Amino acid sequence: MEILVVGAGIVGLAVARALAIRGHAVVVAESEASIGTGISARNSEVIHGGMYYPPGSLRARHCVAGAAMLMAFCESHGVPYRRSGKLIVATDESERAAIATIRDRGDANGVPGLALIDGAEARVLEPNLACVAALHAPGTGIVDSHAMMLALQGDLEDAGGAVAFNSPVTRILRIPEGWRVTVAGEDLVFDAVINAAGLGAQALAHRVEGYPKVQIPRQVLAKGSYFGCTGRPAFSRLIYPAPVEGGLGIHLTLDLAGRMRFGPDVEWVDRLDYGVDPARAQAFAQAIRRYWPGLPDGVLTPDYAGIRPKLTGPGEPAADFRIDGPAEHGFSGLVHLFGIESPGLTSSLSLAEDVADRLVGAESRHPV
C-alpha cells in the first residue's frame, strides 16, 4: 500500500516506521521544517509506567506495553534513556487512599514492581523528601525524546519511507482509487491516510471531504508550564504528588544530565501560547514545598510550556486515547488519532502497532 502519515511527531514517526517495516510505501507529511516541533518537543520526556489509567483503557494497555517496547528500542538503537524510578507521594493522611488506588490500578494493568512504602522508607531513598507514604514505581524512567525521534526517522528511511517537510495537508478526498490528498499544493493519491497531526488532528479531520462532522471530537487545550531549578539536584528519582484534575500534579523530573525541572501545571486555554509566566513560580513553589520543604527561595526559573490536546475539559472525567479507524467510521484506508496526550510518548511504539493492525491487519506484523 501507498500510505500517507500526517504529522512527524513521535507518534506519527512510530506509525510510519511500523508500516514501512511491514513493507508499505510510506510518506510522512509534516507542515513544519523539522520533526517533533509540536507536542513531542514540549513534554517531560518521562517513560511512564501505566499505573494511572483505568484497566482496559487504551492508555493503560499502550502505556504498559509501550514502556517495555520503548526501553528495548532505546537499547537496540543507542537512544539515551535511564530507568530512574519514581515516587508518587502522599504528603498528608488524606492522600493515602489516592496513592493506594493508583497502586491497585497499576497492579490491574500489569505494571511490575509497584510497592507502597511509608514515609520513613521513602526518606531512605530520597532524604530530602517529605511525605507520610509513597508508591515506589521502579520501572519509570526518562528518555531523550529527540534522539528517539531521529532513530524512528532513521528506521523509516532505511525501510524506504520518507518525511516531507514544509508540506501542509489542505484537502483529503475519497476517490475510487483511494484518497486524493493535497500536500503542499500538489494533489497526490494514496491508498490510506493516517491522521497523526496531534494538536492539528481535529482540524485535519475537518478537511476530509464528506467525513461526518459529528464524529470529530471537540478538542480542549490544557497548557502546562515548566520551571527549571538552579543548583545541585536534591533528588535522584522522579517525584510526583497525588494527581490533580487535568494532570498528574506539579512533579519533579530529571533530565539525562541530572538537572531538576518542575511541572507541568494545568491551565485551560483557548489558543496555542507557549510563553511561561514568571509569576506562576509562586504557585509552583507552594506546591513543590509540600513534598520538598527545603526548596530554596529564588531558584525556580521559567523553562518551557506544552499544550495537551485533551478531549474533555475541567470537571469532566479524563478521556481515553481515541483511535478512529475503518471499524469506527466506515471509511476504508483512514485512521484518525485524537487526544493523544500523556502517555503518548511512552505509548508511541505500541500505538503504532495498533494503528497498523487496524489499517492493514495483524498478519503483516513484524518484530519491533
Side-chain angles (χ1 to χ4, degrees), residues 48-83:
H48 289 285
M51 68 286 290
Y52 290 103
Y53 317 109
S57 65
L58 289 175
R59 281 185 172 193
R61 177 161 66 90
H62 288 306
C63 186
V64 175
M69 295 167 73
L70 188 154
M71 291 185 190
F73 179 88
C74 290
E75 291 283 351
S76 64
H77 289 71
V79 174
Y81 84 103
R82 183 166 72 244
R83 197 190 300 258

Side-chain angles (χ1 to χ4, degrees), residues 14 29 55 57 72-73 94 120 151 160 165 167 170 175 182 192 210 232 235 241 272 306-307 323 325 353 357:
S57 65
F73 179 88
S94 67
F165 297 110
S167 298
T170 53
I175 60 174
T182 305
R232 296 181 62 183
F235 298 88
L272 300 184
I307 304 286
I323 307 173
E353 297 299 329
D357 288 349

Side-chain angles (χ1 to χ4, degrees), residues 6-312:
V6 184
I10 197 158
V11 173
L13 290 169
V15 170
R17 169 188 177 270
L19 289 164
I21 288 174
R22 296 187 190 204
H24 302 286
V26 184
V27 175
V28 181
E30 169 55 50
S31 61
E32 301 298 326
S34 60
I35 61 174
T37 62
I39 303 168
S40 300
R42 297 175 174 275
N43 59 65
S44 59
E45 297 188 305
V46 169
I47 306 170
H48 289 285
M51 68 286 290
Y52 290 103
Y53 317 109
S57 65
L58 289 175
R59 281 185 172 193
R61 177 161 66 90
H62 288 306
C63 186
V64 175
M69 295 167 73
L70 188 154
M71 291 185 190
F73 179 88
C74 290
E75 291 283 351
S76 64
H77 289 71
V79 174
Y81 84 103
R82 183 166 72 244
R83 197 190 300 258
S84 56
K86 171 167 70 176
L87 291 171
I88 305 171
V89 301
T91 56
D92 58 45
E93 293 296 333
S94 67
E95 294 176 339
R96 279 186 183 269
I99 66 169
T101 297
I102 295 170
R103 190 275 313 271
D104 293 343
R105 279 189 171 183
D107 288 345
N109 292 341
V111 180
L114 297 178
L116 283 172
I117 60 177
D118 63 26
E121 292 173 296
R123 283 186 291 278
V124 170
L125 299 175
E126 297 290 352
N128 292 309
L129 183 63
C131 66
V132 298
L135 177 62
H136 185 211
T140 299
I142 51 177
V143 64
D144 183 335
S145 59
H146 190 69
M148 182 175 172
M149 286 188 283
L150 287 172
L152 292 170
Q153 182 184 5
D155 276 3
L156 166 66
E157 292 171 348
D158 285 347
V163 182
F165 297 110
N166 301 309
S167 298
V169 172
T170 53
R171 186 187 184 203
I172 304 175
L173 176 65
R174 185 73 172 139
I175 60 174
E177 297 82 7
W179 295 92
R180 179 180 292 127
V181 185
T182 305
V183 184
E186 181 178 356
D187 285 344
L188 304 170
V189 175
F190 297 92
D191 297 304
V193 177
I194 310 293
N195 175 3
L199 288 162
Q202 278 85 341
L204 184 68
H206 280 284
R207 298 185 195 121
V208 181
E209 298 191 11
Y211 191 82
K213 306 306 181 189
V214 296
Q215 292 191 232
I216 303 173
R218 68 170 178 151
Q219 184 182 81
V220 184
L221 302 180
K223 180 178 178 179
S225 295
Y226 293 82
F227 278 77
C229 184
T230 60
R232 296 181 62 183
F235 298 88
S236 61
R237 294 167 182 81
L238 312 183
I239 308 296
Y240 278 57
V244 300
E245 181 185 71
L248 301 181
I250 295 174
H251 47 266
L252 179 151
T253 64
L254 301 162
D255 63 20
L256 289 166
R259 186 179 72 101
M260 294 190 299
R261 62 184 174 214
F262 295 91
D265 59 354
V266 179
E267 179 185 359
W268 301 99
V269 297
D270 56 10
R271 61 188 178 88
L272 300 184
D273 172 16
Y274 295 113
V276 178
D277 181 0
R280 301 183 80 82
Q282 183 175 354
F284 267 67
Q286 183 177 359
I288 294 163
R289 286 194 173 108
R290 294 193 65 198
Y291 56 82
W292 183 24
L295 172 71
D297 291 333
V299 296
L300 297 180
T301 58
D303 202 337
Y304 64 98
I307 304 286
R308 309 170 183 93
K310 291 183 174 292
L311 302 181
T312 51

